[in-house]
C-alpha cells in the first residue's frame, strides 16, 4: 500500500509541476528555468520534435528581417555586377562598330557568301554595309540603313523558319528584317559565340534608339 501511495504522490506532483523543465531542456534559447519570451512553450505531450528547430524555437522576427535584408542586398549587388558587365561588353562593341569590322553576308536563296564591312555612325542610329573587294564595291555601292528600320532581329531556328535554304547554316546566322527597304539581311559567323555577341549587342543598340533623349 505504501508503494502505491508513493506512486500516486509522484504522479500528482508531476501533474502539478507540468512539463516546463523538460520543455526548457529542449528549448534552443533557454538556459534557465525561466521560459524565453521569444520561444513559446511547446506542448510536451505532442512528442519531442527534436529535428524541427523552427517549431521548437522559431527565429526572432528581427533575425528573419535581417536575413531577408541580406538576401535582397546580395541579389541587388549581383544584378549591379551583371549590368556593369553588360555595359562593358556593349561599350566594346560600340567602339568596334564605329571603327568598322569585317562581316560575311549570305544570300538566303543562292547561299552565296560575300565579305563586307560593317560600320556605324557615332550617334549609333545608322549602320552601313560596304563590299570588301573592289569589283563588288563598284557594282554594289555602300548601303546605309537606319537602325530604326530594323523591325525584327533573329537567329538560329528563327533563321531557318524564315529562310529554309539556310537551315544548315542557321546556327551561325543572324537575320534582320528592314521595313523601309523591304529587305532581309543575313549575317554568317564563323563561331556561335561571335553570332551571339553580335545579336545581343545589336539588339541592345536597336532598343536604345526607342528611349527618349533629352
Amino acid at each position: 500500500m505504501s508503494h502505491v501511495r508513493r506512486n500516486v504522490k509522484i504522479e500528482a506532483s508531476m501533474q502539478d509541476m507540468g512539463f516546463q523543465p523538460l520543455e526548457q531542456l529542449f528549448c534552443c534559447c533557454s538556459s534557465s528555468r525561466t521560459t524565453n519570451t521569444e520561444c513559446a512553450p511547446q506542448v510536451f505531450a505532442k512528442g519531442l520534435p527534436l529535428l524541427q528547430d523552427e517549431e521548437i524555437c522559431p527565429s526572432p522576427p528581427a533575425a528573419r528581417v535581417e536575413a531577408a535584408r541580406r538576401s535582397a542586398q546580395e541579389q541587388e549587388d549581383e544584378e549591379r555586377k551583371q549590368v556593369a558587365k553588360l555595359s562593358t561588353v556593349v561599350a566594346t562593341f560600340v567602339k568596334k562598330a564605329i571603327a568598322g569590322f569585317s562581316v560575311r553576308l549570305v544570300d538566303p536563296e543562292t547561299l552565296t557568301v560575300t565579305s563586307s564591312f560593317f560600320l556605324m555612325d557615332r550617334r549609333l542610329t545608322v549602320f552601313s554595309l560596304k563590299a570588301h573587294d573592289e569589283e563588288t564595291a563598284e557594282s554594289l555601292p555602300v548601303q546605309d540603313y537606319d537602325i530604326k528600320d530594323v523591325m525584327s532581329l533573329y537567329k538560329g531556328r528563327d533563321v531557318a523558319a524564315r529562310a529554309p535554304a539556310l537551315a544548315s547554316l542557321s546556327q551561325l546566322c543572324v537575320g534582320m528584317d528592314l521595313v523601309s527597304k523591304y529587305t532581309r539581311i543575313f549575317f554568317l559567323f564563323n563561331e556561335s559565340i561571335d553570332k551571339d555577341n553580335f545579336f545581343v549587342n545589336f539588339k541592345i543598340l536597336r532598343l536604345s534608339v526607342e528611349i527618349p533623349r533629352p
Side-chain angles (χ1 to χ4, degrees):
M1 291 293 292
S2 61
H3 178 72
V4 173
R5 289 175 183 172
R6 188 162 53 251
N7 287 345
V8 171
K9 290 180 180 180
I10 292 174
E11 291 178 2
S13 176
M14 291 180 65
Q15 291 176 356
D16 291 337
M17 67 183 289
F19 292 100
Q20 182 178 351
L22 288 176
E23 291 172 2
Q24 292 176 352
L25 176 64
F26 293 105
C27 176
C28 62
C29 56
S30 177
S31 60
S32 66
R33 296 178 63 86
T34 302
T35 303
N36 192 316
T37 57
E38 294 182 348
C39 181
Q42 305 295 310
V43 180
F44 190 78
K46 292 184 179 179
L48 300 175
L50 295 179
L51 298 180
Q52 303 176 22
D53 295 337
E54 289 297 327
E55 291 186 15
I56 297 173
C57 183
S59 301
R64 292 197 294 272
V65 171
E66 177 62 20
R69 187 194 67 78
R70 286 199 302 267
S71 177
Q73 183 63 45
E74 290 174 358
Q75 182 177 356
E76 184 179 342
D77 291 342
E78 182 61 27
E79 291 176 354
R80 190 180 295 109
K81 290 179 182 178
Q82 293 297 328
V83 170
K85 182 179 179 181
L86 184 59
S87 297
T88 300
V89 172
V90 174
T92 301
F93 179 84
V94 167
K95 290 180 180 179
K96 184 179 177 182
I98 292 176
F101 59 89
S102 297
V103 294
R104 292 191 301 165
L105 306 179
V106 57
D107 188 288
E109 296 180 359
T110 65
L111 301 185
T112 301
V113 178
T114 57
S115 297
S116 188
F117 199 68
F118 180 91
L119 184 69
M120 294 194 74
D121 70 326
R122 293 188 176 276
R123 297 183 61 189
L124 305 176
T125 57
V126 175
F127 70 95
S128 304
L129 292 172
K130 178 182 178 181
H132 257 312
D133 60 279
E134 296 181 359
E135 292 183 2
T136 306
E138 291 179 359
S139 60
L140 185 63
V142 177
Q143 298 292 313
D144 295 326
Y145 303 95
D146 192 324
I147 195 171
K148 285 186 176 181
D149 288 341
V150 178
M151 291 292 100
S152 183
L153 187 71
Y154 44 91
K155 63 178 180 175
R157 290 180 297 180
D158 292 331
V159 170
R162 287 172 169 82
L166 293 177
S168 61
L169 301 173
S170 61
Q171 294 305 312
L172 296 174
C173 287
V174 170
M176 61 175 66
D177 297 346
L178 294 104
V179 66
S180 63
K181 299 186 178 182
Y182 303 101
T183 186
R184 283 178 172 172
I185 301 174
F186 292 95
F187 297 86
L188 178 63
F189 298 88
N190 293 324
E191 302 291 340
S192 181
I193 189 172
D194 296 328
K195 172 205 67 179
D196 293 337
N197 182 62
F198 180 87
F199 178 84
V200 170
N201 284 286
F202 192 92
K203 188 171 186 178
I204 291 174
L205 294 179
R206 172 63 184 87
L207 293 173
S208 68
V209 299
E210 301 294 342
I211 301 175
R213 298 185 180 182

